[in-house]
Amino acid sequence: MKDIRNIDFVELESFVIQNGEKKFRAKQLWEWLWKRGASSFQEMSNLSANFRNKLSENFTFHSATIIDEIISNDQSVKFIIQFHDLKVVEGVLIPQKDRVTACLSTQIGCPLACAFCATGTMGFIRNLHYSEIIDEYLLLNNRAKEIFNHSITNIVFMGMGEPLTNIDNTIKSIEILTSRDCFGLSPSRITISTAGIIKGLKTLADKNLRCGLAISLHSADPVIRRELMPVSEYNSLSDLQKAISYYHNKTGDRITIEYLLLSKVNDSERDAELLARFCRAFPVKINIIEYNPTDNAPFQKSDAQSREKFINILNRCNMVVNVRHSKGQDIAAACGQLVKKKRI
Ligand code: SAH
């Protein structure tokens, strides 16, 4: 049996008509699925019991559940979300003044194995289907309302996985999140973060979803970057630079460059100069990220002095720089700390 959320509206409509129901029932059903966030046929109260039974005889309805949640001292909350096959991902809610940001996963595990990231140590398990990404949003949004009295205002695809190696599902989930007929969120409040998959960046540029784009660069030296991020062997820095220019020319957007400062690895004056040079070809905002310790990784965060020096060089090159302090470190919910631990 097919999952009800794996079919499009046309197919849904023909099922409705074939089963002797009025055409407008398809719209009601669609709303339950993509606007009201139903997780079973039973709760679709404006459909007849008879029709709900027919639906459950013909389709499965995979739903996800939160199986654990942990609150950080800084108020961010990490959620463990389980899917129908018992596989789990992590999602995080980060409250700030008048906003609540949800950090969503796009894959179970990750294929990229970046040296500094805990998720990479899990290996790649599977892609999330777009309906599963929407489930993450729905579950976290319900909890955001309960915990913070506020719906989710912003979404960052910075949880587990590489969005651009699951690009079709990521794009489809964004289309559903932003469509007026579904959740109607503003695309400017959604950010995709990628390690820099060239092919995916081109697709994204051509799609022009109007979302924010963040590139996890972490080094503008080809040799260092290849060591930190094996993905750059087939997605070279020079191709990445061209792909970002292409993206900028297509969308007119300023791109965010994420740069994780690792002591004595990528935080020298030369590293800062290389970074500034890499960014000269397009307008960017550079986010300096503090390293979050992960189990067994041989890295340390840069000391304050090296960080200051690094930032000064960028400032001198007229770069816009922000320093990001991670949230949720005490509960391993911060960037790069999301990994399925054994106790779960
Ligand atoms: N695969 C995507 C999104 C997931 S990671 C990407 O690479 O962008 C989200 C961000 O956290 C990335 O910038 C990633 O490089 C960063 N990150 C990974 N491990 C980290 C760690 N230990 N400390 C701080 N940031 C980390």
Side-chain angles (χ1 to χ4, degrees):
M1 281 202 286
K2 264 193 186 168
D3 188 273
I4 186 79
R5 290 184 300 171
N6 283 5
I7 66 173
D8 61 19
F9 187 74
V10 178
E11 214 178 318
L12 203 67
E13 207 170 46
S14 63
F15 179 82
V16 165
I17 293 164
Q18 269 164 29
N19 283 279
E21 293 283 335
K22 296 244 162 58
K23 210 169 155 183
F24 75 92
R25 297 282 176 211
K27 192 149 182 286
Q28 289 180 321
L29 179 53
W30 189 258
E31 282 188 353
W32 278 111
L33 297 177
W34 298 115
K35 205 168 185 168
R36 304 172 75 158
S39 56
S40 71
F41 295 120
Q42 274 57 51
E43 66 196 90
M44 301 180 176
S45 50
N46 55 2
L47 304 179
S48 72
N50 185 25
F51 183 49
R52 277 182 272 156
N53 285 342
K54 273 196 193 142
L55 285 169
S56 52
E57 281 160 18
N58 287 278
F59 298 100
T60 54
F61 195 143
H62 287 151
S63 62
T65 44
I66 293 175
I67 58 165
D68 199 3
E69 60 182 72
I70 311 159
I71 301 184
S72 158
N73 294 332
D74 64 26
Q75 301 302 308
S76 52
V77 189
K78 177 166 91 167
F79 299 88
I80 316 291
I81 297 159
Q82 187 174 56
F83 299 104
H84 68 280
D85 58 356
L86 306 185
K87 300 267 188 299
V88 298
V89 292
E90 300 190 1
V92 187
L93 283 177
I94 307 149
Q96 292 150 304
K97 281 189 210 133
D98 52 354
R99 56 158 94 169
V100 178
T101 301
C103 176
L104 302 184
S105 296
T106 52
Q107 296 177 323
I108 301 176
C110 183
L112 303 191
C114 298
F116 44 77
C117 179
T119 308
T121 61
M122 281 175 73
F124 173 66
I125 297 172
R126 72 168 173 86
N127 281 332
L128 291 186
H129 185 264
Y130 61 81
S131 61
E132 295 175 315
I133 299 174
I134 298 294
D135 279 338
E136 282 183 82
Y137 165 75
L138 286 168
L139 290 168
L140 264 55
N141 197 37
N142 286 341
R143 291 300 288 134
K145 285 188 261 184
E146 287 162 5
I147 303 171
F148 305 115
N149 240 328
H150 208 302
S151 302
I152 290 170
T153 56
N154 295 66
I155 294 175
V156 290
F157 284 100
M158 292 189 187
M160 290 176 158
E162 167 52 49
L164 298 193
T165 59
N166 185 16
I167 189 163
D168 292 346
N169 284 307
T170 300
I171 288 177
K172 184 84 186 160
S173 72
I174 292 172
E175 286 170 346
I176 293 168
L177 289 167
T178 56
S179 152
R180 291 249 172 98
D181 293 333
C182 299
F183 297 107
L185 303 181
S186 164
S188 63
R189 289 175 175 267
I190 300 178
T191 301
I192 300 176
S193 179
T194 173
I197 310 292
I198 309 299
K199 197 164 156 252
L201 281 170
K202 294 224 165 103
T203 309
L204 217 50
D206 294 337
K207 267 268 170 192
N208 201 355
L209 297 167
R210 313 300 318 138
C211 309
L213 175 68
I215 305 284
S216 301
L217 192 70
H218 308 323
S219 174
D221 175 314
V223 177
I224 299 173
R225 192 167 198 265
R226 227 176 295 138
E227 273 167 29
L228 292 175
M229 305 174 73
V231 65
S232 67
E233 193 165 329
Y234 303 103
N235 296 270
S236 72
L237 270 175
S238 60
D239 286 347
L240 181 56
Q241 200 175 30
K242 284 184 210 131
I244 298 174
S245 288
Y246 181 82
Y247 186 93
H248 170 66
N249 290 336
K250 278 266 167 167
T251 63
D253 289 349
R254 181 165 72 165
I255 285 94
T256 301
I257 298 288
E258 295 178 278
Y259 198 99
L260 177 60
L261 277 184
L262 300 167
S263 179
K264 300 196 172 58
V265 174
N266 63 357
D267 65 345
S268 70
E269 292 176 29
R270 177 179 167 271
D271 289 314
E273 280 157 12
L274 284 176
L275 172 59
R277 205 175 303 156
F278 180 88
C279 295
R280 228 179 268 155
F282 28 73
V284 296
K285 181 178 80 183
I286 300 175
N287 280 350
I288 298 293
I289 317 174
E290 200 172 76
Y291 171 63
N292 302 312
T294 66
D295 292 351
N296 306 324
F299 299 110
Q300 260 161 10
K301 68 177 187 186
S302 298
D303 56 69
Q305 206 184 347
S306 314
R307 190 173 68 203
E308 282 315 301
K309 243 193 210 162
F310 194 90
I311 292 170
N312 283 340
I313 293 169
L314 296 176
N315 285 334
R316 240 183 286 137
C317 299
N318 295 322
M319 296 281 146
V320 181
V321 186
N322 289 314
V323 180
R324 287 298 179 98
H325 297 286
S326 263
K327 302 257 181 186
Q329 279 197 33
D330 56 326
I331 54 166
C335 291
Q337 291 185 314
L338 301 183
V339 65
K340 187 188 169 208
K341 302 252 178 179
K342 288 228 164 50
R343 72 183 175 79
I344 297 155

